[in-house]
Amino acid sequence: MAAAKESTDLNANIPDYEYADVNTKAFHIGSFRNEWLKRLKPSSYSYEREDEDTFDANFAKDMGISAETMADLKSVCSVDSLRCHPEDQTPDPDVVPEDPTLKTLIQRKKKQDHKASLKLTKNRHSLYADELERLTFGREPDAVTDIIPEGEVILTINVYYPAIIDKFSYIRPHMTLLMTGSHSLAELRDAICCVSDLQVCGEFSSTPDMAPDFISKDHFKSAFFFFEGVFYNDMRFPECQDISMTTIEWAKARNFPPYSQSKMEDTRFADLTVKVGFPYLYCHQGDCEHLVIITDVRLAHKNDCLDKKLYPLLTHKHRVITKKCTVCHVFIGRWLTTNDPFAPSDPCLFCDKCFRMLHYDAEGIKLGDFLAYPYVDPGAFN
Amino acid sequence: MDESRKRVKSDCEELLSRFQTTDSVRFEVFSKIWREMKFSEIFYGTEGREKRTFSQLILDTASRFLLPPFSFQIRVGGLYLLYSLYKCQIASPPEQIRLALKDWEDIKKFEKDAVDAQHLDAVYILRQLMLQKAFHFTAMPTMLAFRKKRKMEKSPLCEEFLERASRPQELINIELLDELSNIHDLYDKLKTSVTSKSEQSSSVNLIRKDLVPQLRSSVVDFYKWQQKKCSKRADRLASIKSKAYGQAAEVCVSRVNTEILFYFHFNK
C-alpha cells in the first residue's frame, strides 16, 4: 500500500494529459524540473557541447567496436548520405522544386503559384515577428552573472486580450511571454501591457497638460492572478487592496469549494502547481480580465535567449489597427472631444498636435466651449 | 493548418512504409529511400517565419513515430526520420525536437533494446542527436493552448506500423506454466494426504485438473488468431510480415526468443 502511494506520488509531477491534446493535469513546476534533472546527465542540458572526438571515443568504447568500424559508422550516418541533389549543384531552398511528388510540396507549389499571381507585399504581421525574433535569438548576456543557469525552466505564457470586441472571440489575439522558473508572478504582471492601465478618467479641456498625471496604473494598483483555486494578489504597494476578497466571500456564502489567497510578489513560477494548456485569469483595474494560458514548460536550451535581463521576453504580440487623427490622418488619436464646434463629428478624435493647434491659442488658452477626454488607442502598444 | 499537418503526416508515413517493406533497421537503407523520395526538398519554398513553423510542425509529427505503440522497426525509422529532418531543416538556428518527460522512459528503453541488439547506427544517431542538443526537454509533446475541438477528429495511427500485442505470450511463458503445474501437483498431493481415501469426493475436486493445459491452449489460440488477423488485414503485406517476424529475432532478441520457444514448446 505504502509502495503504491509512493509511486503515484512520484508520478504526480510527470505531466500527463487531463484532456488529450487540450490540457494537462496539475503539476508542480519546480518538481517537474527536478524530475527532468534527475533523469538527464548534466551534459544533456548543459549549454556546452561535448567535443566530437571524445564522443566518438566514448561511443566506440561503450559499444565495444574498433576504430575502423567507428569510422565506417560515421560515414554511413553522415548528413551527406541525405543529400538529394548532385554534389555539383546547389538548389535554391526558397523555391519549391519542379514536379514535386510529396503531398506537402504539391500543395505548397499551388499556394506559391497562386500567391505569385496576387503580387502581395510582405505581410505586416510577419515583418514585426521577424523583427522580434532578430532581437532575441541566441542572445548571450554581456555579464556572466546575467546568464540563465543551466537546467532552469522556461515557461511560455500566452496572455489574451479581453474579449471587448466581438471579433476577439474568434481570433484570440494575445501576447506571448517567455519567463523563467525563478521569476515571480509580479514580474509577469509588470510585463503585461494593457491599455486599460493607461486610461485617464475625466475631462481635461481646461488643463490638457495635467492629463498624463492621472493614468489608471498609478491610481488603481490592485490586481490578481488566479491559478488552481488560489488568488495571487499584488500587495507590493500600500495602496493595494485584496480585490479577490469579494469573490472569495461570495463563493464561501454559496458553498463553493474554498479559495485561498497568496501574494503575487512572493510566488515564483517554480512554486506554482498548474495545468499546462489550461485557461487561468489575470484581473486588473477592477474588471479588466485577461485569460492566461501556460502553453509550455521546458528546460532552457543553448539556443534560447540566455540573457536574464531580457526576460520576461516578448515573443509574439498581436497588432491592432490604430485609429488615426481626423485632421491629419497620420498620427494616432489621443483626444476625444464632444460638443466641439471645431469638429466635423461628435465625438471626434484628434492627435495631440492637431488638438492643441485647433483648440488653444499660442498661450495655451482654451478657445470656445467643448469637452475633451484623453483617449488611449488599443493599438498604443504596437 | 490542420490540412497541412495531414499532408506532412501522410508524406512521413509514405517514407516509413517504404522503409517497413525493406525489413531493415539500417540507416543506409533509410537514407536510400530518403534520397529516392527527395525528402530534403520538403523544406524548400518555405519563407520567413514559415521556415520555423514548418520545421516545428514536421518535427512534432515525426516524433510520434519514435514512441510506442509503434513497432521497433518503425520506431527506428522514426528516429532516422527525426535525425534527417533535424539536419536538413533550413531554419537557422534549427528548431528543436520536443521530448516530453512522460516519454523519457520509453526512449531509454528503446535505446537499451537497440544497444542489446547491437544496432550501432540507431544508437549512434540517437546519441548524436543528444550530443547536438537537438532536444527540448519539455512537459508535453506539443504546445497546448486549450484548443478544444468541436468535433473530435482522431487522426488514426497507421495500423500497419503498430506493435502487435505480445503481453499474453510474455506473461504466460514456459517458466510460469511449469511453476503452475508444480504448484498444482503439490496442492493435489496435500489434499489427498489430509483426506482419507473414502472421503475423496467432490469436496477436494473443486479445482480444475486441466488448468495448465487449458491456459496453454488458449494462449496458443490467441497467438494463431493474431497471426491470421494480420494476414487477413493486408494480403499484400502478409508475406512481408511473416518474413519480418522471422527476422525480428534481429530486432528484439529477448522477446522474440520467448515467443518462439514458447510456440515450439506447445507444438511438441
Side-chain angles (χ1 to χ4, degrees):
Chain A
M1 187 62 203
K5 192 173 179 304
E6 198 168 285
S7 81
T8 52
D9 281 351
L10 278 176
N11 291 330
N13 293 308
I14 299 179
D16 206 345
Y17 287 119
E18 184 173 54
Y19 296 105
D21 297 329
V22 177
N23 68 276
T24 68
K25 293 174 192 152
F27 63 94
H28 185 259
I29 291 182
S31 316
F32 156 78
R33 170 177 170 264
N34 294 338
E35 292 292 334
W36 257 131
L37 298 190
K38 223 160 62 189
R39 286 166 175 75
L40 294 172
K41 279 181 275 176
S43 62
S44 305
Y45 56 86
S46 147
Y47 304 143
E48 298 291 325
R49 194 177 142 164
E50 197 191 350
D51 170 59
E52 187 86 33
D53 294 335
T54 326
F55 171 83
D56 291 350
N58 285 342
F59 185 84
K61 203 175 123 207
D62 231 30
M63 305 294 293
I65 53 175
S66 65
E68 202 178 313
T69 323
M70 188 67 210
D72 282 350
L73 184 63
K74 271 179 82 92
S75 82
V76 166
C77 299
S78 79
V79 183
D80 287 339
S81 65
L82 299 168
R83 196 183 44 233
C84 298
H85 52 85
E87 205 166 344
D88 50 348
Q89 287 174 23
T90 34
D92 181 1
D94 290 338
V95 184
V96 184
E98 289 299 319
D99 305 319
T101 49
L102 297 169
K103 284 186 188 159
T104 308
L105 287 179
I106 295 172
Q107 176 61 26
R108 191 179 294 149
K109 179 122 189 104
K110 259 192 226 160
K111 204 172 130 195
Q112 224 173 40
D113 291 348
H114 174 70
K115 226 174 166 182
S117 68
L118 292 176
K119 295 198 186 83
L120 283 175
T121 51
K122 201 168 181 191
N123 178 309
R124 191 169 51 100
H125 289 268
S126 60
L127 275 179
Y128 284 127
D130 287 351
E131 190 185 315
L132 267 184
E133 198 168 278
R134 266 199 301 281
L135 288 174
T136 57
F137 255 101
R139 278 281 291 263
E140 281 183 36
D142 304 327
V144 191
T145 46
D146 289 331
I147 198 161
I148 291 187
E150 290 177 352
E152 173 66 292
V153 275
I154 292 187
L155 297 96
T156 311
I157 302 168
N158 281 1
V159 181
Y160 293 83
Y161 296 7
I164 39 169
I165 307 177
D166 262 355
K167 201 172 76 175
F168 282 9
S169 318
Y170 306 101
I171 53 169
R172 310 219 290 181
H174 62 268
M175 54 192 285
T176 304
L177 291 159
L178 297 187
M179 308 211 52
T180 66
S182 54
H183 277 117
S184 74
L185 289 176
E187 283 166 293
L188 173 62
R189 194 219 152 157
D190 293 339
I192 298 174
C193 36
C194 169
V195 279
S196 72
D197 275 337
L198 298 186
Q199 298 301 329
V200 179
C201 302
E203 196 279 317
F204 288 90
S205 62
S206 320
T207 52
D209 292 332
M210 293 282 284
D213 299 336
F214 290 87
I215 64 169
S216 307
K217 199 181 186 173
D218 301 331
H219 278 264
F220 313 107
K221 292 184 175 170
S222 311
F224 66 77
F225 285 100
F226 177 74
F227 293 110
E228 289 298 304
V230 185
F231 289 91
Y232 296 93
N233 285 292
D234 189 347
M235 299 303 256
R236 284 175 292 177
F237 307 99
E239 309 94 293
C240 289
Q241 295 172 19
D242 179 352
I243 55 169
S244 66
M245 214 50 220
T246 332
T247 318
I248 291 175
E249 274 165 8
W250 184 90
K252 206 184 267 168
R254 280 163 184 78
N255 278 330
F256 271 88
Y259 295 126
S260 58
Q261 295 133 296
S262 190
K263 283 182 186 169
M264 192 187 282
E265 58 274 26
D266 296 342
T267 312
R268 294 176 317 140
F269 279 100
D271 307 327
L272 282 180
T273 298
V274 282
K275 298 174 181 175
V276 168
F278 196 77
Y280 295 108
L281 181 69
Y282 166 58
C283 175
H284 66 136
Q285 298 302 330
D287 64 349
C288 185
E289 297 174 340
H290 300 254
L291 284 187
V292 176
I293 299 184
I294 299 173
T295 58
D296 189 26
V297 186
R298 60 177 174 81
L299 297 189
H301 183 272
K302 74 179 173 74
N303 286 357
D304 282 316
C305 168
L306 296 180
D307 191 345
K308 233 190 231 169
K309 281 188 295 189
L310 293 176
Y311 284 78
L313 183 70
L314 186 70
T315 57
H316 165 87
K317 183 154 185 9
H318 182 89
R319 316 278 160 171
V320 186
I321 292 175
T322 50
K323 294 191 187 63
K324 305 293 191 294
C325 164
T326 328
V327 178
C328 64
H329 290 286
V330 175
F331 297 108
I332 299 171
R334 291 273 305 274
W335 293 90
L336 194 86
T337 63
T338 57
N339 287 333
D340 187 354
F342 305 114
S345 66
D346 191 359
C348 188
L349 203 58
F350 296 96
C351 70
D352 198 47
K353 202 165 182 187
C354 295
F355 171 74
R356 283 165 196 264
M357 275 163 63
L358 203 57
H359 294 88
Y360 300 88
D361 66 12
E363 274 78 52
I365 314 283
K366 183 179 170 184
L367 305 171
D369 194 20
F370 63 93
L371 297 172
Y373 305 91
Y375 171 81
V376 186
D377 195 276
F381 284 113
N382 288 358
Chain B
M1 190 65 191
D2 235 355
E3 281 303 308
S4 66
R5 190 175 286 274
K6 271 184 208 154
R7 277 189 290 271
V8 163
K9 185 162 171 265
S10 106
D11 284 334
C12 293
E13 279 173 355
E14 171 64 26
L15 176 70
L16 288 177
S17 78
R18 288 196 200 184
F19 183 60
Q20 192 182 32
T21 53
T22 64
D23 274 347
S24 166
V25 288
R26 295 282 80 84
F27 185 72
E28 276 167 281
V29 178
F30 175 89
S31 61
K32 184 159 167 281
I33 303 171
W34 173 279
R35 287 194 303 270
E36 278 165 12
M37 288 181 74
K38 300 199 165 177
F39 219 85
S40 301
E41 292 179 354
I42 202 159
F43 293 104
Y44 291 5
T46 48
E47 295 163 40
R49 282 193 57 70
E50 200 194 343
K51 279 183 187 152
R52 197 155 285 288
T53 48
F54 181 74
S55 283
Q56 191 64 67
L57 169 77
I58 196 163
L59 289 173
D60 278 357
T61 311
S63 60
R64 306 224 162 167
F65 295 111
L66 180 57
L67 299 167
F70 295 113
S71 69
F72 184 82
Q73 196 208 358
I74 291 299
R75 291 177 68 187
V76 173
L79 171 72
Y80 294 160
L81 181 62
L82 275 175
Y83 171 75
S84 311
L85 290 171
Y86 181 78
K87 298 301 276 183
C88 292
Q89 62 177 316
I90 50 178
S92 171
E95 273 296 305
Q96 267 65 45
I97 302 163
R98 295 175 61 88
L99 188 58
L101 180 58
K102 69 185 169 68
D103 298 329
W104 178 252
E105 293 308 321
D106 287 324
I107 300 288
K108 280 282 128 192
K109 172 85 180 25
F110 172 81
E111 187 184 11
K112 194 178 168 296
D113 284 348
V115 171
D116 289 347
Q118 282 285 303
H119 294 313
L120 295 176
D121 40 5
V123 183
Y124 176 79
I125 281 175
L126 182 60
R127 296 201 183 159
Q128 267 289 328
L129 283 175
M130 277 293 173
L131 171 80
Q132 296 179 14
K133 317 263 176 225
F135 293 106
H136 264 161
F137 302 109
T138 65
M140 293 315 274
T142 52
M143 297 249 203
L144 299 173
F146 208 65
R147 295 241 165 244
K148 276 182 132 173
K149 293 168 204 100
R150 294 260 157 71
K151 243 187 352 196
M152 267 318 261
E153 191 188 336
K154 264 214 162 159
S155 80
L157 296 172
C158 186
E159 253 191 76
E160 250 108 70
F161 292 176
L162 294 186
E163 172 95 335
R164 263 177 283 144
S166 57
R167 280 305 212 193
Q169 291 99 305
E170 271 176 37
L171 183 67
I172 303 166
N173 53 20
I174 314 157
E175 288 86 36
L176 181 112
L177 287 173
D178 276 347
E179 191 73 19
L180 207 61
S181 94
N182 270 340
I183 294 172
H184 197 72
D185 286 349
L186 275 175
Y187 185 49
D188 219 35
K189 272 180 202 147
L190 264 173
K191 272 192 310 181
T192 23
S193 68
V194 290
T195 50
S196 59
K197 272 193 182 144
S198 56
E199 276 176 79
Q200 256 191 36
S201 57
S202 57
S203 64
V204 289
N205 287 331
L206 276 175
I207 50 157
R208 281 189 196 162
K209 278 247 172 351
D210 56 347
L211 174 71
V212 176
Q214 255 190 13
L215 191 60
R216 199 171 76 176
S217 72
S218 31
V219 179
V220 172
D221 282 349
F222 168 75
Y223 181 70
K224 282 182 182 156
W225 166 82
Q226 199 182 36
Q227 296 288 84
K228 217 162 79 192
K229 201 182 78 172
C230 284
S231 58
K232 259 191 206 158
R233 190 198 294 143
D235 275 342
R236 192 176 58 85
L237 279 173
S239 59
I240 301 155
K241 286 217 164 190
S242 60
K243 222 173 22 163
Y245 192 67
Q247 272 204 359
E250 145 190 27
V251 173
C252 178
V253 188
S254 55
R255 172 176 310 159
V256 174
N257 278 351
T258 34
E259 268 177 49
I260 291 171
L261 273 176
F262 167 75
Y263 197 68
F264 285 141
H265 184 74
F266 291 125
N267 288 309
K268 265 198 287 204

